[in-house]
Amino acid sequence: GRLLETMDRAQAYREAHKGAIMLHQGETYIVSEMDLETHTIRVKETEVDYYTQPLKEVDLSVIEILETRVVQGSRCAFGEVEVTEQYTGYKIKRKDTIIGVEPLDLPPITFRTKAFWFVSTPDTEQHIARSNLDLAGGLHGAEHAIIALMPLHVMCDRWDIGGLSSPAFGENCEPTVFVYDGYEGGIGLAEKAYEILPDVFLSACELVRDCGCDEGC
């Protein structure tokens, strides 16, 4: 019977879907019900030794290219995109161990926003192929590294930003990484990052270079 908080639909899908473990002012709750018709989420206080992590699929199309530039040999662009996010399930994790995966049946969220993107250079693609490494996995890792470092360059939270990587995007089937504002119309995050892309790329590169993992996360 108590109102804890309100959140937009994307945050609700991400943090308060049925079965989610939700934190609010230091207290832990489990989501028992998400009613999409009344826009109501019901939670119960709980004590658990695990947490939940949503699984999301993203589809993206470019609506308009507003600017282009070349950074360290990579063709980069900034513009308007249409994003469709589909939350398909969630992981149940204890520390770094996955102890379960549960499906979700939620309607997709489609919105227009601003994004920057870059196309991997042919030399990079050839080097990865010659080394028998994983192009799709490398692009996905680069996407996550850039998003992880964005809050250092742009005043935002990690969850304000979304991304998509593809080894063969668009009509030309080019290896491309997109980073977009997770809000309708955009809120200036991708635009600001686009202005300082060399700095964003450098910090992401240093993060991966100095990481102690041999095989990657």
Side-chain angles (χ1 to χ4, degrees), residues 11-99:
Q11 184 185 4
Y13 282 16
R14 185 173 67 241
E15 300 177 12
H17 54 79
K18 187 174 181 180
I21 299 300
M22 193 183 86
L23 292 175
H24 175 77
Q25 295 185 355
E27 299 295 330
T28 304
Y29 299 85
I30 186 168
V31 178
S32 57
E33 180 188 358
M34 172 184 260
D35 189 327
L36 296 177
E37 291 187 2
T38 63
H39 300 171
T40 303
I41 296 162
R42 299 192 182 280
V43 302
K44 297 177 181 177
E45 286 191 53
T46 188
E47 288 188 20
V48 293
D49 63 349
Y50 65 88
Y51 63 99
T52 53
Q53 194 174 66
L55 297 169
K56 179 176 68 175
E57 294 179 358
V58 177
D59 188 31
L60 183 149
S61 59
V62 176
I63 303 300
E64 183 181 7
I65 298 173
L66 299 175
E67 293 183 47
T68 61
R69 64 189 295 194
V70 176
V71 178
Q72 297 171 353
S74 288
R75 290 183 288 114
C76 306
F78 170 76
E80 184 177 4
V81 297
E82 184 172 87
V83 176
T84 298
E85 297 181 339
Q86 177 82 61
Y87 287 87
T88 58
Y90 62 96
K91 298 177 185 177
I92 302 169
K93 301 181 74 174
R94 184 178 292 118
K95 295 184 178 179
D96 289 332
T97 303
I98 299 173
I99 59 176

Side-chain angles (χ1 to χ4, degrees), residues 58-68 76-83 111-118 147 150 160-164 169 176-195 197:
V58 177
D59 188 31
L60 183 149
S61 59
V62 176
I63 303 300
E64 183 181 7
I65 298 173
L66 299 175
E67 293 183 47
T68 61
C76 306
F78 170 76
E80 184 177 4
V81 297
E82 184 172 87
V83 176
F111 57 97
R112 289 196 176 189
T113 185
K114 299 295 195 304
F116 71 81
W117 60 96
F118 64 92
I147 290 173
M150 282 267 291
D160 293 332
I161 313 156
L164 172 72
F169 182 84
T176 310
V177 173
F178 289 85
V179 177
Y180 59 86
D181 291 6
Y183 298 91
E184 177 73 41
I187 54 174
L189 304 179
E191 183 174 12
K192 175 62 177 176
Y194 179 77
E195 293 172 2
L197 264 188

